[in-house]
Amino acid sequence: RGSRKLSGGEKPCWNIKYAPKTRCELAMHKKKVETVSKVLTESLTLKRHKIIILSGPPGVGKSATIRALANDMKCSFEEWVNPIMMYEVGVHYEGEVEK
């Protein structure tokens, strides 16, 4: 399913299972990754918490980039997904796909 929180014997979707885990695994333009990394680093080191908004069409690597960089930096992040959009594609707010 589309859920990141798996219960029981559920297996993750291929896009979650094979998602890049580190910066080296990202298939994005290096300059774009550097820009996002710089903002994250500044936010963490200067203790000036910022909101980072990445926009673009589905599947271009917005969430994957943040996850990989956060993993490299040993930090966590909060992802906000518009609940209206989630219901349009059949996903509950908790991230579980409707049958």
Side-chain angles (χ1 to χ4, degrees), residues 2-3 83 85-98:
S3 175
M85 289 176 58
M86 293 173 70
Y87 284 109
E88 288 174 1
V89 295
V91 179
H92 290 299
Y93 186 73
E94 295 82 27
E96 296 185 15
V97 177
E98 290 181 355

Side-chain angles (χ1 to χ4, degrees), residues 3 8-9 17 34 37 51 59 64 81 87 91-93 99:
S3 175
K17 183 177 179 180
E34 263 315 305
S37 179
I51 294 175
V81 180
Y87 284 109
V91 179
H92 290 299
Y93 186 73
K99 289 185 178 179

Side-chain angles (χ1 to χ4, degrees), residues 1-24:
R1 301 190 209 240
S3 175
R4 278 184 223 107
K5 296 177 184 175
L6 302 174
S7 60
E10 289 184 85
K11 294 183 180 179
C13 289
W14 68 269
N15 63 330
I16 294 171
K17 183 177 179 180
Y18 298 107
K21 305 282 188 264
T22 64
R23 165 188 242 150
C24 296

Side-chain angles (χ1 to χ4, degrees), residues 9-90:
E10 289 184 85
K11 294 183 180 179
C13 289
W14 68 269
N15 63 330
I16 294 171
K17 183 177 179 180
Y18 298 107
K21 305 282 188 264
T22 64
R23 165 188 242 150
C24 296
E25 296 176 0
L26 289 170
M28 293 187 68
H29 194 283
K30 289 181 182 186
K31 194 166 189 170
K32 289 185 184 215
V33 175
E34 263 315 305
T35 301
V36 175
S37 179
K38 182 180 174 187
V39 171
L40 283 174
T41 302
E42 287 175 359
S43 180
L44 293 170
T45 57
L46 299 176
K47 306 286 188 211
R48 292 169 51 200
H49 300 287
K50 296 181 179 183
I51 294 175
I52 300 170
I53 299 174
L54 302 178
S55 64
V60 297
K62 299 175 298 289
S63 296
T65 299
I66 294 294
R67 281 190 196 102
L69 292 174
N71 191 36
D72 281 357
M73 295 176 178
K74 308 277 189 275
C75 65
S76 61
F77 71 98
E78 292 291 324
E79 181 178 11
W80 183 80
V81 180
N82 187 345
I84 295 169
M85 289 176 58
M86 293 173 70
Y87 284 109
E88 288 174 1
V89 295

